[in-house]
Amino acid sequence: MRIAVLSLALASLLTTGAQALACDGSEIIFEDKFEDEAGGWSHKDTVEVKDGSFIFKLPADDMQSNLNVTFTVEDADICTEAVWPQSGDQPVLGAGLLFWGEDNRTYYQFGILNNGRFWIARKRDGAWLGTIAANIDSPAIKTSPGASNTLRVNAQGDTLAFYVNGTKVRELRGQAPTGGWRFGISGDNFDKQKEATVLFTNMKVTD
């Protein structure tokens, strides 16, 4: 199964590379095609980074987050490419883009589900403070097994814009962290019995 998932990731690099360049900033701050573990991510038993894939290996009813530990930004345009598992029999899964992160317990999350919905939420000191957008339907989200989706957050000062596959799905104003902040990705498995994987094929941050 893992071989099939990795093969899908490599194919996605060839077929969806244009989407990965969705960030509009002229200066590239960070770019990782997940060819190895040198991109500044936390190493965990539940994470595998190699051969063009960042894979969250999620136990049943589990959520995993990973903020980059080597880069901080202020204003930034953040993009990542998420790929659903190829199997047709899969639980409800979530793939998320993290922003305005202070540490692994304090950040905001913009995520999509493989049932065609998205959400925006805030976590502080390990507790979810509230959901800004909860399970909103969006036709921009691709839901079929093996489909890839480009998630993008454009953070300029206290203004945020959220995109899925080039379509703006929400705008927000909020209080950005003072000074630099961190970005990252996350995976959610909502099945209470089965393990699952959530896969990313690249990430890019521009200014």
Side-chain angles (χ1 to χ4, degrees):
M1 178 62 181
R2 193 172 74 179
I3 294 175
V5 171
L6 291 176
S7 297
L8 173 64
L10 293 175
S12 298
L13 282 173
L14 297 176
T15 60
T16 63
Q19 292 187 54
L21 302 178
C23 292
D24 284 343
S26 59
E27 179 182 354
I28 297 176
I29 301 172
F30 171 87
E31 188 169 18
D32 194 354
K33 297 182 179 179
F34 304 135
E35 296 294 338
D36 52 41
E37 296 182 337
W41 305 100
S42 298
H43 293 182
K44 308 175 183 178
D45 291 339
T46 54
V47 166
E48 185 174 25
V49 184
K50 67 176 184 179
D51 300 330
S53 302
F54 185 114
I55 302 172
F56 284 106
K57 297 176 286 185
L58 302 167
D61 196 22
D62 185 56
M63 178 264 183
Q64 295 284 331
S65 62
N66 202 308
L67 283 174
N68 192 278
V69 297
T70 57
F71 284 81
T72 57
V73 295
E74 292 185 13
D75 291 344
D77 205 353
I78 311 166
C79 303
T80 191
E81 194 85 8
V83 181
W84 302 129
Q86 195 168 15
S87 169
D89 181 20
Q90 54 184 273
V92 176
L93 300 173
L97 189 56
L98 308 181
F99 61 99
W100 281 1
E102 299 177 36
D103 53 46
N104 284 320
R105 293 169 54 83
T106 300
Y107 51 78
Y108 286 72
Q109 180 189 44
F110 170 50
I112 60 170
L113 300 170
N114 60 347
N115 61 11
R117 297 176 177 178
F118 73 89
W119 78 94
I120 305 168
R122 182 185 182 188
K123 194 173 193 178
R124 185 164 187 84
D125 294 331
W128 293 104
L129 294 186
T131 304
I132 303 165
N135 295 329
I136 307 298
D137 289 318
S138 173
I141 300 171
K142 300 175 185 178
T143 60
S144 60
S148 64
N149 288 275
T150 300
L151 283 71
R152 176 187 173 200
V153 175
N154 188 0
Q156 304 296 323
D158 290 338
T159 301
L160 301 163
F162 302 88
Y163 301 81
V164 179
N165 296 320
T167 298
K168 184 187 289 187
V169 296
R170 189 69 184 265
E171 288 184 344
L172 286 175
R173 291 186 301 275
Q175 185 177 13
T178 302
W181 48 268
R182 294 159 59 189
F183 53 85
I185 50 181
S186 64
D188 287 84
N189 176 15
F190 293 95
D191 193 291
K192 297 187 180 299
Q193 296 181 334
K194 299 179 182 178
E195 297 179 349
T197 59
V198 172
L199 182 150
F200 296 83
T201 56
N202 52 62
M203 188 167 192
K204 186 177 182 180
V205 181
T206 65
D207 185 7

